[in-house]
């Protein structure tokens, strides 16, 4: 594979992209810094196909990334392959308002062909290629220039190995027939709604007790205000105010600005500075949350209780058995809260639809409805029909009765 020098000009980038656009797939990774800014700062883009690879410097003076971003978001002929690509997709969305498509994530794909829940990149490379990845540069400050040859080599390795792994992984997916399982997962990863940052919805990410419209109205106003402050200052939202502090102020609003000095998590300066004044205005102007915006009540139904909790535990045991039997990550099939909902009587659930129903859901439903149970066969825990169990018990009882009758006749 040809490894190019660090690309720092628009001309070199456009030439590379023109060639990559003829490929069936490209592997992509990014390096970024997000500790000190509101939006992650893109510092490096690595991209490869099966013939060539390069790192692109988005911080290079005068470089225009348009051709690269068009390849990511507008070229439907080239599959874009990431590993644990959520943050990479977020960065591209922040730059373009669009997400890469079509997309494939090797971490998610591994869940369909193994019991690996969230395999890291180094372990992925080790398991497929038997190669140990050098982790020495993973804590690099990627915004600092110039980058060393070792840093660039480390970064490019994230896409060159991936370009070798993907064809092997694809063959296994085809062989197992599980490629279709991943379609919805990949579309979910590429859904722009997952990355759209609407300040008016920021409050939904914050844990808040209760459903009081006045409290939630203040929470909504404060969360949107914090987003604006953080964007304006280009700092992480937590630097303005932590979630816990924001929720506490929404629930117990100070009557006057000087009371802000008593709020845990705020400095004394808030009692008289401008940001404190802006916060107090938000509290003053906040309206109760409209009924149509109130959070949806938990649909899990009545509390499980002791018996329901035991049923949920049996479902989790069934999940472990099934994941082991078919060699798939249990997380791809379902999660704990969904099984608890099933045990509580809820039936409008993902595991009761599509391929998940065929693979796991129908057995889970049968267990909940008392149609199947667990049995030990040759030292292994397996599922068995309750009717079959009863028939076996009857047969065993009849056989024992016959043996006793025969013994009595001999006496």
């Amino acid at each position: 594979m040809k490894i190019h020098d660090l690309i720092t000009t628009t001309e070199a980038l456009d030439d590379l992209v023109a060639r990559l656009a003829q490929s069936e797939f490209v592997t992509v990774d990014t390096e970024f810094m997000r500790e000190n800014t509101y939006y992650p700062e893109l510092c490096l883009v690595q991209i490869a196909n099966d013939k060539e690879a390069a790192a692109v410097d988005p911080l290079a003076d005068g470089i225009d990334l348009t051709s690269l971003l068009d390849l990511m978001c507008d070229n439907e002929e080239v599959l874009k392959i990431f590993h644990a690509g959520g943050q990479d997709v977020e960065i591209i969305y922040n730059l373009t308002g669009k997400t890469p498509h079509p997309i494939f994530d090797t971490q998610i794909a591994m869940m369909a062909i193994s019991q690996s829940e969230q395999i890291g990149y180094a372990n992925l490379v080790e398991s497929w290629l038997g190669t140990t990845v050098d982790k020495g540069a993973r804590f690099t400050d990627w915004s600092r220039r110039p980058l060393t040859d070792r840093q660039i080599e480390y970064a490019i390795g994230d896409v060159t190995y991936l370009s070798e792994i993907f064809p092997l992984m694809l063959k296994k997916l085809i062989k197992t027939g599980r490629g279709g399982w991943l379609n919805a997962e990949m579309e979910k990863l590429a859904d722009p709604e997952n990355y759209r940052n609407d300040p008016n919805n920021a409050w939904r990410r914050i844990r808040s007790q209760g459903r009081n419209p006045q409290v939630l109205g203040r929470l909504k106003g404060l969360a949107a205000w914090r987003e604006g402050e953080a964007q304006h200052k280009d700092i992480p939202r937590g630097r303005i105010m932590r979630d816990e502090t924001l929720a506490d102020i929404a629930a117990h609003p100070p009557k006057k600005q000087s009371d802000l000095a008593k709020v845990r998590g705020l400095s004394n300066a808030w009692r008289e500075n401008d940001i404190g004044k802006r916060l107090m205005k938000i509290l003053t102007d906040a309206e109760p949350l409209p009924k149509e915006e109130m959070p949806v009540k938990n649909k899990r139904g009545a509390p499980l209780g002791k018996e329901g909790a035991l049923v949920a535990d049996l479902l989790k045991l069934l999940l472990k058995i099934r994941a082991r039997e078919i060699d798939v990550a249990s997380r791809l099939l379902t999660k704990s809260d969904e099984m608890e909902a099933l045990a509580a009587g809820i039936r409008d659930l993902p595991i009761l639809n599509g391929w998940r129903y065929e693979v796991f859901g129908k057995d889970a439903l049968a267990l909940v409805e008392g149609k199947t149970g667990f049995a030990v066969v040759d030292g292994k825990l397996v599922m068995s029909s309750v009717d079959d169990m009863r028939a076996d018990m009857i047969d065993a009882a009849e056989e024992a009765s016959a043996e006793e009758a025969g013994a009595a006749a001999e006496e």
Side-chain angles (χ1 to χ4, degrees):
M1 176 181 289
K2 179 177 178 55
I3 307 296
H4 297 283
D5 292 335
L6 180 66
I7 291 180
T8 58
T9 68
T10 303
E11 181 181 6
L13 176 60
D14 291 348
D15 287 344
L16 173 68
V17 170
R19 294 191 301 274
L20 294 177
Q22 307 305 311
S23 309
E24 292 184 1
F25 71 86
V26 291
T27 54
V28 188
D29 188 38
T30 65
E31 308 297 343
F32 53 88
M33 302 295 292
R34 68 185 315 159
E35 289 81 2
N36 299 309
T37 57
Y38 181 80
Y39 292 109
E41 180 185 12
L42 179 61
C43 300
L44 201 68
V45 181
Q46 307 92 273
I47 189 166
N49 59 12
D50 57 343
K51 297 182 177 64
E52 58 183 321
V56 180
D57 185 359
L59 302 181
D61 187 34
I63 194 168
D64 184 348
L65 300 179
T66 299
S67 62
L68 178 62
L69 296 174
D70 286 347
L71 173 63
M72 291 292 102
C73 302
D74 296 330
N75 189 324
E76 291 287 322
E77 302 301 318
V78 180
L79 181 65
K80 294 84 184 181
I81 300 165
F82 297 83
H83 181 78
Q87 293 188 92
D88 305 305
V89 173
E90 176 193 359
I91 288 172
I92 294 171
Y93 176 83
N94 289 341
L95 292 172
T96 65
K98 297 181 285 188
T99 58
H101 196 272
I103 194 171
F104 185 92
D105 192 303
T106 52
Q107 186 180 72
I108 297 174
M110 279 294 288
M111 296 169 68
I113 55 177
S114 73
Q115 295 179 58
S116 301
E117 295 288 344
Q118 286 184 307
I119 189 170
Y121 184 74
N123 289 334
L124 180 83
V125 174
E126 177 71 30
S127 64
W128 284 91
L129 304 178
T131 301
T132 300
V133 175
D134 177 11
K135 300 180 181 179
R138 60 180 170 163
F139 296 117
T140 288
D141 180 352
W142 293 103
S143 65
R144 187 172 297 175
R145 294 295 184 272
L147 294 171
T148 67
D149 291 341
R150 184 189 180 194
Q151 289 172 326
I152 297 171
E153 181 181 358
Y154 166 84
I156 290 181
D158 286 347
V159 290
T160 55
Y161 292 134
L162 211 55
S163 67
E164 294 181 56
I165 292 170
F166 171 68
L168 303 175
M169 186 177 289
L170 185 60
K171 286 181 180 179
K172 187 166 184 179
L173 278 169
I174 293 172
K175 186 176 180 180
T176 59
R178 296 176 183 176
W181 294 9
L182 299 176
N183 291 340
E185 303 303 314
M186 300 307 174
E187 288 302 314
K188 190 186 305 180
L189 178 64
D191 185 355
E193 287 299 323
N194 293 328
Y195 310 97
R196 186 167 289 122
N197 184 17
D198 183 352
N200 288 320
N201 288 326
W203 66 278
R204 298 184 184 276
R205 297 193 297 263
I206 302 170
R207 286 188 177 183
S208 177
Q209 298 296 323
R211 293 170 52 81
N212 184 303
Q214 283 76 24
V215 173
L216 294 179
R218 289 192 291 265
L219 184 67
K220 178 181 177 180
L222 288 171
W225 163 80
R226 183 179 65 167
E227 295 298 306
E229 294 282 344
Q231 289 176 7
H232 178 72
K233 293 178 171 61
D234 192 26
I235 58 175
R237 60 178 66 88
R239 297 270 186 92
I240 301 294
M241 185 184 298
R242 295 177 61 185
D243 286 359
E244 297 86 349
T245 304
L246 193 147
D248 184 49
I249 292 175
H252 309 286
K255 295 181 179 180
K256 52 186 182 297
Q257 185 177 348
S258 59
D259 291 338
L260 290 175
K262 304 174 185 177
V263 176
R264 183 177 180 180
L266 299 184
S267 69
N268 287 332
W270 284 73
R271 64 186 300 166
E272 56 186 7
N273 62 14
D274 288 340
I275 193 171
K277 291 178 183 177
R278 294 194 291 271
L279 182 151
M280 293 303 297
K281 186 175 189 314
I282 294 298
L283 290 175
T284 300
D285 295 344
E287 298 286 342
L289 192 71
K291 184 177 180 180
E292 62 272 15
E293 292 186 38
M294 290 292 291
V296 178
K297 289 184 179 180
N298 196 326
K299 294 184 177 181
R300 283 174 50 182
L304 285 177
K306 291 182 179 180
E307 296 302 318
L310 289 174
V311 174
D313 287 341
L314 288 176
L315 287 170
K316 294 171 186 178
L317 178 59
L318 173 61
L319 179 62
K320 289 182 179 180
I321 294 172
R322 184 51 44 84
R324 182 193 64 200
E325 288 176 345
I326 64 176
D327 193 26
V328 67
S330 59
R331 183 171 176 168
L332 186 63
L333 297 177
T334 186
K335 297 178 182 177
S336 293
D337 58 351
E338 191 175 15
M339 287 184 286
E340 291 173 3
L342 182 61
I346 304 300
R347 296 295 181 262
D348 183 16
L349 299 167
I351 53 170
L352 299 182
N353 293 284
W355 68 267
R356 286 183 171 86
Y357 175 75
E358 295 300 324
V359 172
F360 176 72
K362 63 182 178 182
D363 286 337
L365 187 61
L367 178 63
V368 169
E369 294 179 348
K371 297 176 182 178
T372 189
F374 293 102
V376 178
V377 178
D378 297 329
K380 291 185 178 181
L381 198 61
V382 297
M383 293 295 294
S384 181
S385 165
V386 170
D387 290 338
D388 291 342
M389 288 181 182
R390 287 174 180 157
D392 290 342
M393 291 172 65
I394 292 171
D395 290 343
E398 290 177 348
E399 183 177 340
S401 178
E403 289 178 356
E404 289 178 1
E410 289 178 0
E411 291 178 0

